[in-house]
Amino acid sequence: MCEYCEMYGGGTKWYLNPDNYGRQLYSRRVPGYVPDAISYRKERDKLWFEYFEAVADEAENVEELNTGLDALIRDNEPCQVVPLQDALKMMELVQPMASMSCICRKYMRAADERSPAEYSCGGLGVGMLKWERWPERYRGGVNFMSVDEAKDWVTKFDKKGYVHCVMVYGSSYGGRPFVGGLCNCDYPDCYEMRHRLDYHLEHHLLRSHYVAMIDYDLCNGCGICAQRCQFGAIKMERSKWDGPKANINMFNCFGCGVCETGCPMGAITLVERETIPELKEVW
Amino acid sequence: MVAPKISIDHTKCTTPFDCKKCLLACPQGVFWVLPKKNVKFQETDQKEPGAWELLAQYRAMCTGCGKCVEVCPVDALTIDVL
C-alpha cells in the first residue's frame, strides 16, 4: 500500500481524501509551536547542493546523503504522479484553485510565465489566499479558477503531454501534511522529475496508483505513446506482428497516463497498481 | 566517472536570467538560475546586475560537450574535464 494512503487515506486514495486539503485551514496551533518553512528550505537547499556535488564527484558518502535527504523530503514535501482522471477529481475537492508560473522552469530554463495562458503550475487550498506576500514566487500574479476552469486547465496540459503531480507540504509547513499544489511537469525542467530520475531521491516523485497496460490487438503502432512518455518506459517493438507495436515496461512506468490519453486507438488502459503483484510495492 | 568541473565567473556573468543563453542551450539541463537578491514583497529585477546567480546545480549530468561555453556572450564559463 502507498505509505501516504496508509497514514492519510481514510479509506480512499490519500489525495482524494478531503481531510488532506483543509488541514492547514483548521489546524489549531499547539502553544509554542512555530512552523518554520524558511529554515527548512535553507537546510534542504544546502543538503541538495551537498548531495548533487557528492554525486558529481563520486564521493563515498553519496548513499548516506541520499537516505538523509530522502527522509527529509518524505516528511516535508513529497510529490506523487496522478493521472488526468484523478487530477480532475481533485479539482472538485478543493477551492481556491489558482494557476501560476512554474518555479522549476523559471530556475532551470529561465522561463518567464506571466499570463494565465502560460501558467503551468497550480496552487491548491487556502495557502493561495496569501500569494501576494511572495511576489518573487508568484511573479505576474496568480489566476484563480472555478472548478470547470481548473478542469479545462489540467486537460489542456494533459493534451500537450505534461505529467500531473500532486504536491504536499509537510511538517515544516505547519504540522501534518496538506495537499498544496498540482503541477504539470516534463523532463528535464521539472526538478521533482530530475531528482527522482537522475538523482534517485524517491520521495521527490512517487509513482502513481496506476500502471499503463497495452492491448496489442488494438495498438496500431503509431508511436504517439512512446513520444509522449516522459519516463522512457515505452519502446516500439518491431517484431512478431505485421508492424511495430508499443511495448510498455511496467517496472519503469510511473502511471501518469499521458500515453493513455494520447492513444488514438484506446489501446492503453490504466490498471490499479495494487492489482499487479510485483508492482504493488513499487512506488 | 567524476563529472567535469564547471567554473562560472560571476564578475562577468552578472545578468544570467536576462541572458539565459547557457540555460537554454545545455542539452543536459545542468544549470540553475537563482535570485540572489531577495527583498520582501518585491520581485527580483531580471536585468539588475548581480541580482540573479547562475549555478551548475546538476553538474553530475554534464557531458563536457562545451555548448554552454560556445554560447556564452561574456566568456564567463570554463569546463575542465578531469
Side-chain angles (χ1 to χ4, degrees), chain A residues 207 210-212 231 233 248-256 270 273:
Chain A
R207 291 167 205 267
Y210 304 87
V211 279
F231 301 96
I248 304 172
N249 182 334
M250 290 165 78
F251 283 106
N252 291 356
C253 176
F254 272 65
C256 65
L270 289 180
R273 187 169 289 275

Side-chain angles (χ1 to χ4, degrees), chain A residues 214-224 236 243-246 263-265 267:
Chain A
I214 184 97
D215 183 332
Y216 288 126
D217 293 333
L218 291 175
C219 176
N220 67 353
C222 68
I224 291 173
M236 298 309 288
K245 299 268 183 187
C263 179
M265 305 303 289

Side-chain angles (χ1 to χ4, degrees), chain A residues 198-266:
Chain A
D198 297 344
Y199 289 94
H200 314 292
L201 291 163
E202 228 175 72
H203 287 83
H204 256 304
L205 190 63
L206 293 166
R207 291 167 205 267
S208 88
H209 287 73
Y210 304 87
V211 279
M213 268 178 114
I214 184 97
D215 183 332
Y216 288 126
D217 293 333
L218 291 175
C219 176
N220 67 353
C222 68
I224 291 173
C225 54
Q227 187 198 25
R228 278 166 75 88
C229 183
Q230 291 284 327
F231 301 96
I234 307 182
K235 304 271 187 297
M236 298 309 288
E237 193 175 346
R238 304 280 154 185
S239 58
K240 274 194 230 152
W241 293 276
D242 292 344
K245 299 268 183 187
N247 174 265
I248 304 172
N249 182 334
M250 290 165 78
F251 283 106
N252 291 356
C253 176
F254 272 65
C256 65
V258 297
C259 55
E260 183 226 4
T261 51
C263 179
M265 305 303 289

Side-chain angles (χ1 to χ4, degrees), chain A residues 24-141:
Chain A
Q24 191 196 23
L25 180 60
Y26 301 115
S27 67
R28 281 171 65 196
R29 291 275 158 84
V30 180
Y33 173 76
V34 186
D36 190 0
I38 301 218
S39 55
Y40 158 70
R41 287 197 166 213
K42 279 189 181 150
E43 170 72 7
R44 178 205 63 183
D45 291 357
K46 202 186 91 208
L47 288 171
W48 267 356
F49 194 68
E50 230 177 88
Y51 174 61
F52 297 150
E53 284 297 294
V55 174
D57 293 331
E58 296 189 335
E60 280 174 9
N61 60 345
V62 165
E63 250 170 66
E64 191 187 317
L65 288 170
N66 179 304
T67 315
L69 192 50
D70 195 46
L72 192 76
I73 300 300
R74 181 194 63 215
D75 296 338
N76 289 290
E77 45 181 341
C79 210
Q80 189 169 38
V81 174
V82 286
L84 180 66
Q85 59 193 61
D86 282 7
L88 295 177
K89 284 183 201 159
M90 282 173 64
M91 300 296 100
E92 286 175 4
L93 283 173
V94 60
Q95 277 289 324
M97 161 81 202
S99 63
M100 60 206 188
S101 68
C102 166
I103 194 127
C104 308
R105 287 181 192 113
K106 179 173 142 196
Y107 286 172
M108 284 195 211
R109 296 291 202 194
D112 196 14
E113 299 172 3
R114 281 205 178 262
S115 68
E118 298 172 300
Y119 293 155
S120 58
C121 191
L124 306 174
V126 288
M128 286 317 295
L129 299 173
K130 297 186 282 187
W131 71 272
E132 281 161 312
R133 291 164 69 180
W134 294 281
E136 185 44 50
R137 170 66 188 92
Y138 303 116
R139 59 190 320 147

Side-chain angles (χ1 to χ4, degrees), chain B residues 30-46:
Chain B
V30 165
F31 296 101
W32 267 43
V33 60
L34 288 178
K36 204 181 175 198
K37 183 181 165 187
N38 282 300
V39 180
K40 215 173 176 185
F41 305 124
Q42 260 181 49
E43 197 179 314
T44 307
D45 186 357
Q46 292 171 18

